[in-house]
Amino acid sequence: MKSVIPWLALAATLSAQPDYAVHDSHFHLTNYIQEGTNIRDFLSIMGNKVGRVALFGIPLQQTWSHRNTGDFAPTYYLQTDAPLYYYSFTDAQIAMAYRGLSKEEQARFDPMITGFNPADMYAADHIRRVLQTFPGVFSGIGEFTIHKEFVSAKVAGEIATLTNPALDRILDFAAEAGLLALIHNDIDAPFPKPGQEPYQVVQLIQLFKRHPRTTIIWAHCGLGRIVHPVHHQAAIVDRVLSHPELGHVYIDISWDEVAKYLVATPEALDAAAAVINRHPSRFLFGTDEVAPQDQERYLKIYDMYAPRFAKLTPEASANLRKGNYERLFNEARRRVRAWEQANPPKK
Ligand SMILES: [Zn+2]
């Protein structure tokens, strides 16, 4: 009878660790005016449903131009014509929120650096400075944006492009420091004319090929609110993931605006499930929620997808929900901590 007791103890320890349904590889704690959810409130929103979260703010701040909207204070980029500008303080805000947590609470977050301008040759220096100012915090960079419907054209100053050497410097530094890179780049223009060259995806693949040592997550596989799946999108994604030079590229299926396309018809859903089943190690679940106030809102996209996960093989489903997140982010944590040890700030 005595031997039962250790087993009970083991069972108690195991049940203390909730069996989380999912990890979230894409989450914005703050919005376009740098306000958001208190991180402790967010922990209770994650509850025992979401295990780990890649945590970041939003690199762009919406200007409140009184000349443009008067006393109406816009909180979203679609509410005004006034420009967006890069707001580097977001990284300090995220780091300080993370540092206010206990070790056990911190273990559930993977903070990311976003407050840089991808058209600035000095952006890589900002990222290095953030790591050295807040060692022990960050695992990646992003979500940062190159081509995005409605957003890119509103950014003050030079427009970011996929061909800018400043972006190459950023991705080179990410490889050196072991940072994961989460990039938003639409697969096509919002309203392409028939026969228009899909330069976004062509340039993006060239960028991926130039940076084989950087682990890259392509957010929303290039879809958006208006940018919809292009003809044969599943085949394009399949080709990218099958390409021998693109083994370092992963895809997140975040954003409810994207989920609506993937589950729109049985054919779309079957095509998406088939690609994920063929490449079970390459897809991550993410919410792309911005500053949610309750769990129902936060998990809206999960609830949209959850019944459809039955279309996946058990391996693909487990990897998409948790396995790929753990593998990629654990490796990033390990490598970035090693880089920080080897590169202390200059005294
Ligand atoms: Zn996002």
Side-chain angles (χ1 to χ4, degrees):
M1 283 306 285
K2 254 186 180 165
S3 66
V4 170
I5 290 164
W7 282 107
L8 285 177
L10 178 64
T13 320
L14 287 175
S15 64
Q17 286 267 333
D19 185 20
Y20 298 114
V22 75
H23 300 317
D24 181 356
S25 66
H26 191 135
F27 175 72
H28 302 272
L29 189 66
T30 53
N31 63 11
Y32 280 86
I33 57 163
Q34 314 299 327
E35 292 177 0
T37 311
N38 176 287
I39 197 164
R40 291 197 175 276
D41 295 339
F42 182 57
L43 270 167
S44 35
I45 291 172
M46 290 160 65
N48 55 16
K49 203 110 193 231
V50 180
R52 282 169 64 178
V53 172
L55 182 78
F56 36 92
I58 285 190
L60 292 162
Q61 160 82 29
Q62 175 61 60
T63 311
W64 177 5
S65 161
H66 199 270
R67 285 182 180 170
N68 188 251
T69 58
D71 289 340
F72 171 67
T75 59
Y76 196 54
Y77 58 83
L78 293 177
Q79 295 175 329
T80 166
D81 292 332
L84 297 157
Y85 63 95
Y86 289 101
Y87 188 85
S88 293
F89 188 70
T90 181
D91 296 329
Q93 218 178 348
I94 291 293
M96 295 306 281
Y98 174 85
R99 284 200 164 169
L101 300 174
S102 70
K103 281 270 167 272
E104 293 70 41
E105 291 166 336
Q106 287 180 346
R108 295 179 66 184
F109 291 109
D110 291 282
M112 311 273 276
I113 298 167
T114 60
F116 54 87
N117 176 354
D120 183 357
M121 288 293 281
Y122 281 128
D125 301 86
H126 168 80
I127 297 165
R128 174 190 295 266
R129 190 174 303 120
V130 173
L131 289 183
Q132 293 183 325
T133 308
F134 297 105
V137 175
F138 290 97
S139 305
I141 56 171
E143 176 193 28
F144 65 95
T145 293
I146 307 299
H147 290 289
K148 180 173 180 179
E149 55 184 19
F150 307 119
V151 170
S152 302
K154 283 190 56 154
V155 178
E158 187 181 343
I159 300 301
T161 65
L162 293 164
T163 53
N164 193 324
L167 180 55
D168 290 310
R169 274 198 89 207
I170 292 168
L171 294 179
D172 284 344
F173 180 69
E176 179 195 326
L179 292 156
L180 270 174
L182 173 59
I183 180 169
H184 179 123
N185 194 82
D186 293 343
I187 197 164
D188 205 351
F191 298 106
K193 295 273 185 231
Q196 178 178 324
E197 151 104 10
Y199 62 92
Q200 287 95 327
V201 72
V202 172
Q203 292 179 3
L204 184 68
I205 308 263
Q206 288 164 352
L207 178 81
F208 290 162
K209 287 186 180 170
R210 288 202 299 280
H211 296 279
R213 292 173 49 244
T214 312
T215 305
I216 298 172
I217 302 173
W218 183 19
H220 336 292
C221 55
L223 302 180
R225 187 186 303 278
I226 304 290
V227 174
H228 51 79
V230 296
H231 194 47
H232 301 312
Q233 169 123 7
I236 293 174
V237 171
D238 190 35
R239 277 220 310 279
V240 169
L241 296 180
S242 306
H243 197 291
E245 288 174 64
L246 298 175
H248 58 298
V249 177
Y250 298 81
I251 287 177
D252 89 35
I253 59 163
S254 68
W255 203 2
D256 52 4
E257 296 283 353
V258 168
K260 78 185 176 200
Y261 295 120
L262 298 188
V263 304
T265 62
E267 295 74 37
L269 181 62
D270 284 344
V275 181
I276 298 172
N277 284 334
R278 261 201 303 283
H279 305 279
S281 63
R282 309 290 286 283
F283 288 87
L284 296 102
F285 174 79
T287 62
D288 200 15
E289 274 305 316
V290 177
Q293 292 308 313
D294 55 58
Q295 194 183 61
E296 192 188 340
R297 171 70 219 173
Y298 173 49
L299 291 178
K300 187 176 150 215
I301 178 174
Y302 181 75
D303 294 335
M304 263 171 100
Y305 277 133
R308 276 90 175 187
F309 288 153
K311 292 258 179 193
L312 302 178
T313 63
E315 182 200 9
S317 172
N319 279 347
L320 170 84
R321 287 181 295 111
K322 292 195 282 192
N324 295 335
Y325 182 110
E326 288 169 15
R327 198 178 72 252
L328 296 185
F329 282 90
N330 289 352
E331 174 69 0
R333 277 185 189 182
R334 189 189 63 73
R335 287 185 56 200
V336 180
R337 295 299 83 81
W339 184 92
E340 288 166 351
Q341 285 271 316
N343 296 274
K346 290 199 178 70
K347 290 276 187 288

